[in-house]
Amino acid sequence: MPRDDNHKAEKARAGARRLIEQTPIALAGLAVISGLAYLAGSFYTRAYFAEFGASWILDEVPTAMYFSQSWIPLLLILFFVYLVTTNLGLIDSQSNLTASTKFKISVLVVHYGSWLFILLLAAIPLLSLGGSTLAAIVLSVISIVVLLWLLGSALELLVVRFMTEDADMDLTMAYIACVLVATGLYVIPSQLGMNWARADKESPSSLLTVYLHGNAEKEYKLLFSSEERLYVFPAKYEGRFPPVEATTATDISFVPTKP
């Protein structure tokens, strides 16, 4: 019993020591992921307002909005990174980690998931050009899931390779997967922002309907609000871009008023 207790205590100390050693890496990884989330949100927001012909609104967009457009992918990325880091404990407890079922699944995902991701990245812009807005949005959401799964699997291969120093492991597809993920972090948010804007321009729209004082019969859509400034456009308009205009909260109402 004492020997078992000593073994458990030593194992606990080794785990704590490994956690402390990996903390700076984890913090650096978190900073990188936060930066990627900011970029993804920025690409989405810029593409969204560009589709309305109102890129000038970006001067009023707070930084927090860029993060708010990508918080779900950020949480999922953190989850996959957690799954990868938990394998650090398995590396010391298994003599042949590359023979585990989980590792073999990650290898399959990196090899075959990369080809699937390439097809998705090619299909989304084609659907957008063809006017299939809803299909492009659905594929973009699916691509986010594939991207995260691909990223998690590629990270697992890299962690196992450099922690076990297995010189025979070929990381070519893992590096290709990382390049595809980097490409997807631009293509997917941009396409999603553009197609979501197209859906919001159509009627019926998910945007909030408002009315301007003095013109209670004409419906407007609330595009964006920043403090006291609100940006609206007519629910019915001609041409590709709606005439977006800035107003204040005191000049609008959310229900039609009788003249």
Side-chain angles (χ1 to χ4, degrees):
M1 290 296 293
R3 181 176 299 179
D4 293 339
D5 292 340
N6 292 335
H7 178 71
K8 292 180 180 179
E10 181 62 28
K11 187 176 181 180
R13 285 193 293 268
R17 184 166 55 252
R18 184 166 54 251
L19 179 61
I20 294 174
E21 292 173 352
Q22 297 300 324
T23 297
I25 299 176
L27 292 177
L30 180 60
V32 171
I33 291 172
S34 299
L36 293 177
Y38 173 84
L39 287 177
S42 175
F43 296 146
Y44 174 92
T45 305
R46 292 177 182 276
Y48 183 85
F49 286 123
E51 187 61 25
F52 282 91
S55 296
W56 46 273
I57 297 180
L58 292 171
D59 295 334
E60 302 290 333
V61 175
T63 302
M65 183 175 177
Y66 294 144
F67 287 101
S68 68
Q69 299 297 339
S70 57
W71 68 272
I72 293 179
L74 176 59
L75 291 179
L76 291 175
I77 289 175
L78 291 175
F79 172 71
F80 276 108
V81 171
Y82 166 76
L83 292 180
V84 172
T85 55
T86 54
N87 282 332
L88 296 176
L90 295 176
I91 290 174
D92 291 339
S93 61
Q94 295 186 14
S95 57
N96 190 8
L97 184 64
T98 56
S100 66
T101 303
K102 187 174 184 299
F103 181 82
K104 292 179 179 179
I105 292 175
S106 296
V107 172
L108 292 176
V109 170
V110 169
H111 280 77
Y112 297 102
S114 297
W115 292 108
L116 174 61
F117 195 61
I118 290 175
L119 291 176
L120 289 172
L121 291 182
I124 294 172
L126 291 177
L127 289 172
S128 299
L129 291 175
S132 301
T133 302
L134 181 59
I137 291 176
V138 172
L139 277 190
S140 296
V141 174
I142 294 174
S143 298
I144 293 175
V145 178
V146 176
L147 181 149
L148 296 170
W149 198 8
L150 189 61
L151 175 61
S153 299
L155 288 177
E156 182 170 0
L157 266 61
L158 294 174
V159 167
V160 172
R161 167 62 179 84
F162 292 111
M163 293 298 293
T164 60
E165 298 182 355
D166 185 357
D168 295 332
M169 187 183 301
D170 186 5
L171 295 178
T172 302
M173 288 303 299
Y175 292 132
I176 292 176
C178 291
V179 173
L180 290 175
V181 167
T183 304
L185 286 173
Y186 169 76
V187 174
I188 295 174
S190 299
Q191 288 292 319
L192 189 58
M194 179 182 67
N195 286 292
W196 205 272
R198 290 178 179 177
D200 282 343
K201 288 195 298 183
E202 296 176 357
S203 183
S205 171
S206 61
L207 297 177
L208 185 65
T209 300
V210 297
Y211 300 84
L212 298 181
H213 291 307
N215 191 6
E217 297 180 355
K218 187 174 182 179
E219 292 184 354
Y220 286 80
K221 294 294 182 179
L222 179 60
L223 177 61
F224 177 69
S225 61
S226 176
E227 296 180 354
E228 293 297 323
R229 295 178 64 83
L230 294 92
Y231 300 88
V232 299
F233 65 91
K236 296 181 180 180
Y237 60 91
E238 296 181 355
R240 177 184 175 186
F241 300 121
V244 179
E245 58 183 278
T247 184
T248 61
T250 56
D251 292 332
I252 69 169
S253 61
F254 296 98
V255 293
T257 56
K258 295 181 180 181

